[in-house]
């Protein structure tokens, strides 16, 4: 996305309002259409209501964990084109492996820099040939 | 026809021949002398008398030679055969050729040997029957010791090893050699042992052990002689209460090197987090406070503080990443875990469902090693299988262990859909009935730094997958294959025997500790540049060959190996190219030999190679030596066949063709031959080392004298 505008729709699922705010600001600044969900259940409802191009998903969330959201999304045939980028402070190898096994496309360990998150999203967008302006 | 004559007739014929010859010779002499009496009667009588005497001596010598060939030598041979048969080889054949001139003695000896063989077989069968239950108990003890995850060693009060298990061998053998009858101090450092033993002895002699909560047991930490491995264990004293004296001590231990190193690392990381993170946090806090406070900060300074915040955030993130990486490398939690064979673990699990009305659960896949607490893992898997049965409706499950690219797993597989992670998480939050406490599945997983998830796999199947830590020790044996080689790993008779110190020469041959060794070489001339390419040895302790404690090394000779030499021992230049040179191997061999008596077949040859390397290697073997060629010539003086093959055949010792002319194979054959010889030497009145050495020296002297003529 560096130097480019991106028209992808992104759903940020994280129960930390501060990071949601910062990421929404950052990604909107790059031209994305960004929505936020504050727990796992809301995240599932949002992706089912209007599937985003990319789900930026925290693992530790109330109501439904990021793993459950990931697994639910992957069991829905309508959501196969949606990319899932997991971000978590649980950075044990097992958590990464479990997230990938349950259908995540990438993993970002918290804390991360703005550049890292932009690069990770760009890479997934490139793989999924999402919409560029 | 003359072979059918009886021994008495043969004796009569020998003496009859002499008796008949005397008057004939004397008669002829007198007759011839009488014919010439006129010339010079005295000289004629002297001449013919002398001729007659020489003729008589010649005839007596001829008859004596016939007597020796037909009677004396066969009797000696039969005598030796009987000795071999009684003391060394009950299957030994007495050849008819050897007894053909001995009349009834031949068939009688054969018949006696047959009935002795049958008698011995009967006795052996009865002994086997009588000791069957003892043997079963012994096998059970061996199995228990072999499968224990802790190392176990029993020593007498001279610190000689009486028993050890395979785990002890795996944990301790880095620098020295662990073996029956050897000092424990060849593998571990001395001071902690002596201190702990002294504490136990004091506790015992003062009677305090009766009220002490640990009784006669003391936990202690010790290290291997190379100083690289720290072991944590317990020493307990074995005492004879009636006699009021200690007899031996038992050690149980495990390798604590990793655990202790992990604790040290963890301490350091904690210090890093506590101390190193304070500085950047202080910078961050000061700058953030200034920016958010009511203090008026000029724009130029505001930019500076913002860049400080950005820099410190980046530095903190980087440092956190480093600490996280290091934390991951630390061994798992302090929860007690051990290396576990997945086949054992999974069969413990499936055994629970044998009586289950609907659930069928089988083990599949290869067995692998895992590092875990098998009890809690079996409990957790049991919970998961039962919950999966309820949740999926599947009734047939397979459980298996799998190795991935970077990790090992335990899987529960069924035909059907994957289970939602939320459901699995609820199961993991349930308490699990287990003796270790009210643990949940998540607690168990946390101990193993693991997790569980459900995913779809192939052919409409799904699984619950649980990553497991890698084993701590490399397990080389085939867990699904043949059982591990059975070692001779205990000998409580050593309890009654002191260490191999004092006057060796006066000790009984069967009480001594031996190293029987052999070398393979590039040729037969050590003085002309031939070199050793292999050296092997086996130990004999208390009359047993300890096949599990052998020494077997290839040596890089630093020169080519002639093809004709490779044909004999099958060691090629490629095989030794990456092997250590003799200066590395011989010191290890010297440590292996220790204070044992050396035994070899044609020992002078092998010792010469070692001796010529003394300057280079610093190894001088001044241990007593016995040569089985010489000992064979002592106990089997009726034959000059003393090659290893010939001697082994006489004792019915089979050397597999592929082992013959390998240093280890020949060492083993020589060891078994030597054990048989000890019995025969004793039958010949040679019971001590000194007597065996003297008899060998005398034989060498005789041979030298014979060679001179």
């Amino acid at each position: 996305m560096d130097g480019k505008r991106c028209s992808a729709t992104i759903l940020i699922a994280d129960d930390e309002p501060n990071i949601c705010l910062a990421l929404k600001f950052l990604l909107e600044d790059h031209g994305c259409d960004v929505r936020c969900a504050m727990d796992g259940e809301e995240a599932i409802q949002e992706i089912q209501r209007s599937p985003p191009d990319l789900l930026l998903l925290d693992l530790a969330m109330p109501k439904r964990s990021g793993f459950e959201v990931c697994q639910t999304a992957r069991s829905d045939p309508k959501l196969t084109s949606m990319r899932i980028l997991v971000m978590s402070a649980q950075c044990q190898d097992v958590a990464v492996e479990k997230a990938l096994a349950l259908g995540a496309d990438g993993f970002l360990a918290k804390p991360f820099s703005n550049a890292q998150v932009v690069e990770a999203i760009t890479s997934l967008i490139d793989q999924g040939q999402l919409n560029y302006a | 026809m003359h072979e059918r004559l009886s021994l008495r007739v043969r004796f009569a014929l020998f003496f009859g021949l002499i008796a008949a010859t005397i008057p004939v010779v004397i008669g002829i002499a007198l007759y011839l002398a009488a014919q010439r009496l006129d010339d010079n009667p005295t000289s004629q009588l002297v001449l013919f008398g002398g001729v007659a005497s020489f003729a008589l001596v010649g005839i007596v010598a001829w008859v004596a030679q016939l007597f020796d060939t037909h009677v004396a030598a066969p009797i000696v041979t039969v005598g030796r055969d009987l000795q071999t048969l009684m003391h060394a080889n009950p299957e030994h054949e007495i050849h008819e050729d050897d007894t053909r001139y001995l009349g009834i003695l031949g068939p009688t000896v054969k018949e006696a040997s047959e009935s002795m063989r049958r008698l011995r077989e009967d006795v052996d069968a009865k002994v086997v029957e009588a000791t069957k239950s003892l043997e079963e108990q012994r096998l059970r003890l061996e199995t228990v010791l072999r499968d224990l995850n802790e190392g176990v060693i029993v020593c007498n009060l001279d610190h000689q090893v009486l028993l050890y298990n395979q785990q002890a061998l795996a944990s301790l053998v880095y620098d020295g050699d662990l073996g029956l009858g050897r000092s424990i101090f060849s593998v571990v450092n001395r001071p902690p042992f002596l201190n702990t033993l002294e504490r136990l002895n004091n506790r015992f002699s003062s009677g305090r052990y009766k009220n002490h909560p640990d009784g006669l047991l003391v936990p202690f930490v010790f290290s291997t002689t190379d100083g690289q491995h720290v072991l944590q264990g317990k020493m307990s004293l074995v005492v004879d209460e009636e006699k009021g004296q200690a007899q031996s001590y038992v050690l149980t231990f495990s390798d604590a090197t990793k655990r202790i190193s992990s604790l040290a690392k963890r301490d350091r990381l904690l210090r890093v987090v506590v101390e190193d993170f304070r500085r950047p946090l202080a910078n961050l806090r000061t700058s953030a406070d200034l920016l958010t406070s009511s203090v008026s900060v000029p724009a130029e300074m505001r930019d500076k503080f913002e860049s400080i915040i950005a820099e410190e955030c980046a530095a903190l993130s980087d440092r956190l990443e480093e600490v996280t990486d290091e934390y991951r490398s630390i061994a798992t939690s302090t929860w007690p875990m051990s290396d576990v064979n997945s086949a054992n673990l999974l069969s413990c699990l499936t055994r629970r469902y044998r009586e289950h009305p609907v659930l069928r659960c089988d083990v599949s896949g290869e067995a692998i090693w895992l590092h875990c607490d098998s009890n809690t893992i079996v409990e957790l898997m049991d919970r998961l299988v039962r919950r999966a049965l309820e949740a999926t409706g599947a009734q047939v499950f397979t459980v298996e262990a799998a190795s991935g690219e970077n990790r090992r797993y335990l899987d529960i597989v069924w035909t059907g859909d994957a289970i939602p992670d939320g459901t699995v998480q609820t199961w993991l939050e349930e308490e699990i009935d287990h003796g270790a406490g009210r643990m949940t599945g998540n607690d168990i997983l946390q101990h193993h730094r693991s997790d569980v998830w459900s995913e779809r796999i192939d052919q409409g199947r799904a699984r619950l997958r649980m990553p497991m830590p890698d084993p701590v020790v490399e397990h080389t044996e085939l867990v699904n294959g043949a059982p591990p080689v059975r070692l001779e790993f205990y000998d409580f008779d050593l309890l009654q025997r002191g260490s191999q110190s004092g006057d060796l020469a006066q000790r009984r041959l069967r009480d001594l500790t031996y190293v029987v060794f052999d070398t393979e070489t590039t040729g037969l001339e050590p003085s002309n540049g031939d070199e050793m390419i292999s050296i092997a040895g086996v130990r004999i302790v208390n009359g047993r060959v300890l096949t599990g404690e052998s020494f077997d090394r290839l040596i890089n000779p630093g020169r080519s190996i002639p093809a004709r030499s490779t044909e004999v021992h099958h060691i090629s230049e490629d095989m030794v190219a990456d092997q250590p040179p003799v200066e590395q191997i011989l010191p290890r061999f010297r440590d292996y030999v220790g204070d044992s008596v050396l035994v070899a077949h044609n020992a002078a040859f092998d010792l010469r190679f070692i001796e010529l390397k003394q300057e280079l290697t610093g190894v001088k073997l001044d241990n007593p030596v016995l040569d089985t060629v010489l000992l064979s010539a002592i106990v089997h003086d009726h034959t000059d066949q003393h090659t290893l093959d010939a001697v082994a055949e006489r004792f019915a010792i089979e050397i597999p063709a592929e082992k013959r002319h390998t240093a280890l194979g020949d060492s083993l054959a020589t060891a078994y031959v030597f054990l048989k010889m000890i019995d025969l030497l004793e039958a010949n009145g040679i019971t001590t080392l000194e007597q065996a050495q003297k008899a060998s020296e005398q034989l060498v002297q005789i041979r030298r004298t014979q060679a001179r003529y």
Side-chain angles (χ1 to χ4, degrees):
Chain A
M1 282 193 296
D2 282 342
K4 292 184 222 172
R5 302 289 293 170
C6 171
S7 63
T9 52
I10 295 178
L11 176 69
I12 301 169
D14 199 319
D15 58 329
E16 286 282 345
N18 288 351
I19 201 163
C20 278
L21 187 72
L23 286 174
K24 189 169 188 293
F25 180 81
L26 173 75
L27 297 173
E28 280 177 348
D29 188 49
H30 282 81
C32 300
D33 178 7
V34 183
R35 288 176 285 149
C36 288
M38 303 306 287
D39 59 50
E41 223 157 73
E42 191 185 340
I44 291 173
Q45 284 165 9
E46 277 296 309
I47 55 175
Q48 282 170 346
R49 185 178 62 80
S50 168
D53 296 321
L54 186 139
L55 172 64
L56 192 53
L57 179 67
D58 183 40
L59 284 181
M61 284 191 297
K63 297 184 182 172
R64 307 283 283 272
S65 75
F67 291 120
E68 284 183 78
V69 176
C70 201
Q71 199 181 27
T72 309
R74 283 294 171 249
S75 62
D76 187 341
K78 294 199 297 279
L79 299 171
T80 45
S81 64
M82 182 180 75
R83 294 282 168 263
I84 302 177
L85 178 60
V86 164
M87 51 181 179
S88 177
Q90 286 180 44
C91 45
Q92 284 182 20
D93 294 343
V94 173
V96 180
E97 189 177 354
K98 180 174 175 178
L100 297 176
L102 295 182
D105 299 298
F107 191 96
L108 208 52
K110 281 181 179 177
F112 44 75
S113 67
N114 291 349
Q116 282 171 324
V117 73
V118 168
E119 191 188 329
I121 290 173
T122 309
S123 157
L124 283 181
I125 285 174
D126 285 348
Q127 283 171 26
Q129 295 176 331
L130 298 181
N131 301 324
Y132 291 94
Chain B
M1 189 206 85
H2 60 281
E3 289 173 18
R4 281 192 234 123
L5 297 174
S6 81
L7 198 56
R8 290 185 70 195
V9 172
R10 196 174 298 277
F11 269 59
L13 281 176
F14 284 129
F15 290 104
L17 191 60
I18 294 169
T21 311
I22 291 170
V24 171
V25 172
I26 291 175
I28 292 170
L30 286 175
Y31 172 76
L32 292 172
Q35 296 292 309
R36 293 165 176 79
L37 275 181
D38 292 347
D39 299 343
N40 186 347
T42 310
S43 65
Q44 293 300 326
L45 281 172
V46 169
L47 174 68
F48 285 100
V51 170
S53 301
F54 278 115
L56 281 173
V57 167
I59 286 164
V60 169
W62 175 63
V63 173
Q65 197 263 328
L66 280 178
F67 183 83
D68 184 59
T69 312
H70 289 199
V71 180
I75 285 176
V76 171
T77 304
V78 168
R80 291 298 187 202
D81 283 344
L82 281 173
Q83 271 189 338
T84 307
L85 199 132
M86 282 191 297
H87 298 287
N89 175 17
E91 302 297 318
H92 184 67
E93 287 276 336
I94 295 178
H95 295 291
E96 278 183 24
D97 273 5
D98 295 337
T99 58
R100 62 184 166 170
Y101 301 119
L102 297 182
I104 196 169
L105 192 60
T108 310
V109 164
K110 204 165 171 59
E111 201 181 317
S113 67
E114 278 297 326
S115 63
M116 200 172 79
R117 193 178 0 250
R118 278 197 299 275
L119 201 66
R120 189 172 287 204
E121 278 169 8
D122 283 353
V123 171
D124 285 350
K126 281 183 181 143
V127 168
V128 166
E129 187 60 34
T131 54
K132 200 175 165 189
S133 115
L134 207 62
E135 177 69 7
E136 279 170 6
Q137 287 183 22
R138 196 171 73 94
L139 283 172
R140 258 180 244 138
L141 171 72
E142 282 183 16
T143 311
V144 169
L145 283 171
R146 198 184 55 216
D147 293 346
L148 274 181
N149 286 314
E150 284 194 312
V152 179
I153 293 182
V154 181
C155 292
N156 63 16
L157 297 180
D158 287 327
H159 309 287
Q160 277 183 297
V161 175
L162 309 179
L163 173 150
Y164 62 89
N165 68 349
Q166 282 177 315
Q167 194 55 46
L169 201 64
S171 302
L172 289 179
V173 179
Y174 295 102
D175 196 32
D177 289 294
L178 181 69
L180 290 183
R182 281 191 192 283
S183 168
I184 181 82
F185 300 132
S186 66
V187 287
V188 297
N189 284 323
R190 191 180 288 258
F193 274 77
L194 299 184
N195 291 338
T196 312
L197 192 58
E198 195 181 343
R199 281 176 63 193
L200 280 169
N201 271 325
N202 288 341
R203 202 185 283 177
F204 175 60
S205 56
S206 65
R208 278 186 295 119
Y209 73 100
K210 288 176 183 161
N211 300 318
H212 197 285
D214 287 340
L216 284 171
L217 186 141
V218 170
F220 77 126
V221 173
F222 57 101
S223 60
T224 50
T225 42
D226 63 358
Q228 300 293 310
H229 298 267
V230 181
L231 299 116
Q232 198 170 14
K234 290 170 189 160
M235 180 189 285
S236 63
L237 201 62
V238 178
V239 295
D240 185 332
E241 297 260 10
E242 279 183 20
K243 290 183 186 167
Q245 63 187 36
Q247 286 191 319
S248 57
Y249 59 88
V250 181
L251 302 168
T252 52
F253 58 91
S254 56
D255 194 335
T257 315
K258 281 196 175 171
R259 197 158 62 238
I260 287 172
S261 140
S262 290
L263 285 176
K265 266 188 181 176
R266 199 172 294 185
D267 280 353
R268 199 172 57 74
L269 284 178
L270 196 61
R271 204 174 57 243
V272 165
V273 171
V274 171
E275 294 172 7
D276 288 13
F277 281 31
R278 280 179 180 274
R279 192 195 52 77
L281 276 171
N283 298 345
L284 264 177
R285 189 167 179 181
T286 315
S287 303
D289 278 354
L290 273 170
L291 289 176
T292 54
S293 68
S294 54
V295 180
S296 158
V297 182
E300 185 191 337
M301 285 307 288
R302 180 169 288 275
D303 289 349
K304 252 187 190 170
F305 288 135
E306 281 171 356
S307 65
I308 287 172
I309 290 172
E311 275 171 29
E312 294 297 351
C313 276
L316 261 178
S317 293
D318 290 349
R319 192 75 190 99
L320 185 67
E321 280 306 308
E322 286 168 23
V323 170
T324 310
D325 281 347
E326 208 167 332
Y327 183 63
R328 277 186 203 144
S329 72
I330 297 175
T332 52
S333 69
T334 49
W335 190 259
M337 299 203 284
S338 56
D339 287 359
V340 175
N341 182 334
S342 69
N344 289 341
L345 186 143
L346 295 175
S347 67
C348 282
L349 176 70
T350 52
R351 212 173 292 143
R352 296 178 173 211
Y353 312 124
R354 276 186 196 154
E355 308 297 324
H356 197 284
V358 290
L359 172 62
R360 236 189 71 206
C361 187
D362 298 313
V363 180
S364 78
E366 290 283 307
I368 56 173
W369 287 91
L370 311 163
H371 189 68
C372 64
D373 169 23
S374 59
N375 291 335
T376 53
I377 289 295
V378 167
E379 292 294 336
L380 174 58
M381 289 189 78
D382 179 44
R383 174 60 55 92
L384 292 172
V385 168
R386 289 177 194 276
R387 289 284 178 264
L389 174 75
E390 294 161 9
T392 64
Q395 293 180 348
V396 180
F397 292 83
T398 53
V399 283
E400 59 189 57
S403 293
E405 270 181 37
N406 306 310
R407 208 184 289 281
R408 292 159 196 239
Y409 305 94
L410 285 171
D411 293 335
I412 301 167
V413 183
W414 65 93
T415 302
D417 280 334
I419 301 163
D421 194 59
T423 310
V424 177
Q425 290 309 314
T426 5
W427 299 345
L428 294 176
E429 281 156 19
E430 294 170 3
E431 273 181 10
I432 288 183
D433 303 325
H434 184 260
R438 298 159 71 89
M439 279 190 292
T440 65
N442 275 330
D443 292 334
I444 296 170
L445 290 173
Q446 193 57 42
H447 295 149
H448 294 81
R449 297 261 173 93
S450 186
D451 205 337
V452 176
W453 64 86
S454 176
E455 59 187 340
R456 294 198 69 146
I457 45 175
D458 52 356
Q459 299 164 346
R461 296 186 308 155
R463 70 181 164 206
L464 276 163
R465 168 154 273 206
M466 179 161 51
M468 280 287 111
D470 286 344
V472 174
V473 181
E474 198 174 327
H475 299 267
T476 47
E477 76 266 36
L478 290 170
V479 285
N480 278 351
V485 177
R486 198 172 134 190
L487 305 178
E488 294 81 3
F489 60 81
Y490 68 91
D491 192 338
F492 287 110
D493 290 344
L494 292 169
L495 200 56
Q496 316 300 331
R497 226 189 67 180
S499 61
Q500 184 144 301
S501 54
D503 191 3
L504 279 186
Q506 299 307 321
R507 294 187 62 163
R508 293 199 318 155
L509 286 169
R510 59 176 65 250
D511 288 344
L512 291 166
T513 297
Y514 302 92
V515 164
V516 187
F517 76 106
D518 185 47
T519 61
E520 297 302 329
T521 60
T522 57
L524 302 176
E525 295 178 50
S527 330
N528 283 338
D530 277 323
E531 299 281 350
M532 280 183 281
I533 48 174
S534 167
I535 184 164
V538 288
R539 301 181 70 223
I540 296 179
V541 178
N542 230 10
R544 286 200 305 166
V545 180
L546 304 182
T547 50
E549 296 181 15
S550 57
F551 181 97
D552 189 16
R553 302 282 195 285
L554 288 174
I555 302 170
N556 186 338
R559 53 153 287 172
S560 60
I561 303 174
R564 65 179 185 285
S565 161
T566 300
E567 275 172 31
V568 177
H569 45 56
H570 304 294
I571 299 173
S572 64
E573 286 173 15
D574 288 349
M575 290 163 70
V576 296
D578 296 329
Q579 298 299 324
V582 72
E583 53 267 39
Q584 285 180 30
I585 298 291
L586 278 188
R588 297 281 295 130
F589 183 66
R590 178 193 48 205
D591 293 343
Y592 176 77
V593 170
D595 60 359
S596 307
V597 175
L598 285 168
V599 178
H601 201 75
N602 195 10
F605 175 80
D606 302 285
L607 286 172
R608 181 75 181 133
F609 276 92
I610 296 174
E611 198 180 288
L612 283 174
K613 294 291 167 194
Q614 188 180 322
E615 203 172 311
L616 178 69
T617 61
V619 171
K620 186 180 181 193
L621 291 176
D622 46 14
N623 306 48
V625 180
L626 289 176
D627 187 335
T628 44
V629 173
L630 298 176
L631 297 179
S632 173
I634 294 167
V635 296
H636 288 150
D637 55 359
H638 61 291
T639 173
D640 53 5
Q641 296 298 309
H642 301 295
T643 62
L644 186 54
D645 287 314
V647 181
E649 192 186 344
R650 279 202 288 276
F651 290 130
I653 292 164
E654 283 181 25
I655 313 176
E658 70 278 10
K659 299 281 181 202
R660 182 72 179 102
H661 293 301
T662 66
L664 185 60
D666 285 359
S667 299
L668 273 169
T670 309
Y672 288 118
V673 157
F674 177 66
L675 280 182
K676 299 277 187 186
M677 279 177 177
I678 291 179
D679 292 334
L680 280 179
L681 286 166
E682 284 181 351
N684 283 279
I686 299 169
T687 56
T688 65
L689 177 63
E690 185 179 44
Q691 288 168 339
Q693 284 180 312
K694 269 192 182 159
S696 301
E697 279 162 25
Q698 278 169 3
L699 195 74
V700 173
Q701 284 302 327
I702 292 167
R703 296 235 164 131
R704 277 195 192 131
T705 314
Q706 284 172 341
R708 239 178 268 150
Y709 298 101

